[in-house]
Amino acid sequence: MENYARTVRCAVLACALAAGPAAWALEVRVASQEVLEPKWLRAGGRVTGICPDIMTAIQKIEPRLRFTGYQRTSRSLSGIETGLETGTLDAACGLVSSARRLGIGQPVGKPIYQVRHYLVVRRNDPVTIESEADLARLGDLVTTQRASVFTERLVAAGVRIDDATDDNRANLRKILAGHGRFAYINDLTLHYLIRKEGLENRVRVLPVVLADEPTYFWVSRRAAPALAPLLGAALDKLAASGELGRIYARWAGTP
């Protein structure tokens, strides 16, 4: 029954595509990601950030796509992965690659931005770290984001972690309170939170990049077949025009 319904939906979409953008738009179900600023920001009943800006830009150049759901639906990272797997979400914005994600979805188009991960310590901590192996040998507790690919890598390296929350703001506050020596956070979120929380004189970012890789827009393997090529082509156009870079720069430098 599920396969039949999907076949019917695909046939309807094929006819709609032929009719042209003025007659049809493909609804793309997306959930915002909880507590991951400034990729997603919720304030005053509005959802803003890098991903909403990218989706707005996509819709301008590809009117056959209409993103829905993220204004009212927010999920944890693991919840977003489950949505891609079950087909309750059609796409997800700004994820790095992993074996699990490749099994339930596909990255489309050019990368939307590069993500780099750093360690943060209290300002007066003189420690020096060069690698995940150094962290494992040292044995001190590292606060990190729950269910992230980078957290999985820390665990695999034998690092002692606290991943009780998705909230990087909470992880920074933990090390300031003496719970854990290091916080492991992506550069975009880290610098945003340092500015937002006024932590310039309270924390120190160690000068080593422990991970550096691209993030992509992902499409569920259960989504309509028309989605991946339309979305990928739109992202390629935004990358070529420089718009993806401008959106990133705007949020990377704005508290």
Side-chain angles (χ1 to χ4, degrees):
M1 189 66 176
E2 179 182 345
N3 289 337
Y4 173 77
R6 188 169 185 271
T7 300
V8 171
R9 185 184 181 211
C10 291
V12 171
L13 287 172
C15 293
L17 277 170
W24 170 84
L26 173 59
E27 182 179 282
V28 184
R29 297 166 297 172
V30 178
S32 62
Q33 188 174 340
E34 294 174 350
V35 291
L36 195 59
E37 304 159 312
K39 191 166 85 171
W40 298 97
L41 286 164
R42 287 184 172 271
R46 295 181 64 243
V47 181
T48 59
I50 289 179
C51 283
D53 279 3
I54 289 174
M55 289 186 286
T56 297
I58 290 170
Q59 290 175 152
K60 286 180 179 177
I61 65 169
E62 181 46 87
R64 289 173 291 182
L65 297 179
R66 184 174 68 249
F67 295 95
T68 65
Y70 68 90
Q71 300 92 340
R72 62 182 183 277
T73 303
S74 181
R75 298 192 187 188
S76 65
L77 179 56
S78 58
I80 288 173
E81 289 181 331
T82 298
L84 292 176
E85 182 175 24
T86 60
T88 58
L89 296 178
D90 297 307
C93 175
L95 302 180
V96 301
S97 185
S98 73
R100 169 166 166 71
R101 291 169 189 170
L102 288 170
I104 62 179
Q106 59 176 315
V108 297
K110 298 292 186 183
I112 60 175
Y113 61 86
Q114 199 77 7
V115 63
R116 300 169 184 84
H117 275 239
Y118 288 90
L119 291 167
V120 192
V121 295
R122 291 181 294 277
R123 188 74 179 179
N124 59 355
D125 190 331
V127 68
T128 299
I129 294 291
E130 298 295 335
S131 65
E132 292 169 351
D134 286 349
L135 274 178
R137 281 193 295 269
L138 196 59
D140 288 313
L141 187 66
V142 180
T143 64
T144 183
Q145 185 183 1
R146 181 173 52 203
S148 79
V149 170
F150 304 103
T151 297
E152 293 171 359
R153 293 174 187 168
L154 290 178
V155 172
V159 176
R160 193 161 68 93
I161 67 164
D162 169 8
D163 63 343
T165 178
D166 286 4
D167 191 343
N168 289 292
R169 180 183 273 101
N171 286 331
L172 279 174
R173 289 173 178 172
K174 282 181 179 181
I175 66 165
L176 288 172
H179 176 80
R181 187 175 188 181
F182 303 93
Y184 186 75
I185 304 176
N186 74 79
D187 57 336
L188 181 67
T189 299
L190 173 60
H191 294 302
Y192 177 88
L193 290 176
I194 287 176
R195 293 192 304 268
K196 188 75 171 178
E197 299 287 304
L199 299 178
E200 292 87 348
N201 296 319
R202 301 189 65 193
V203 299
R204 181 170 68 93
V205 181
L206 301 189
V208 60
V209 178
L210 292 183
D212 184 352
E213 57 191 300
T215 66
Y216 292 90
F217 227 111
W218 288 70
V219 171
S220 168
R221 296 199 178 275
R222 292 178 176 267
L227 176 56
L230 285 175
L231 180 54
L235 287 164
D236 288 348
K237 290 178 182 177
L238 290 176
S241 71
E243 182 62 14
L244 286 181
R246 287 188 288 272
I247 290 172
Y248 179 87
R250 185 160 63 245
W251 286 101
T254 303

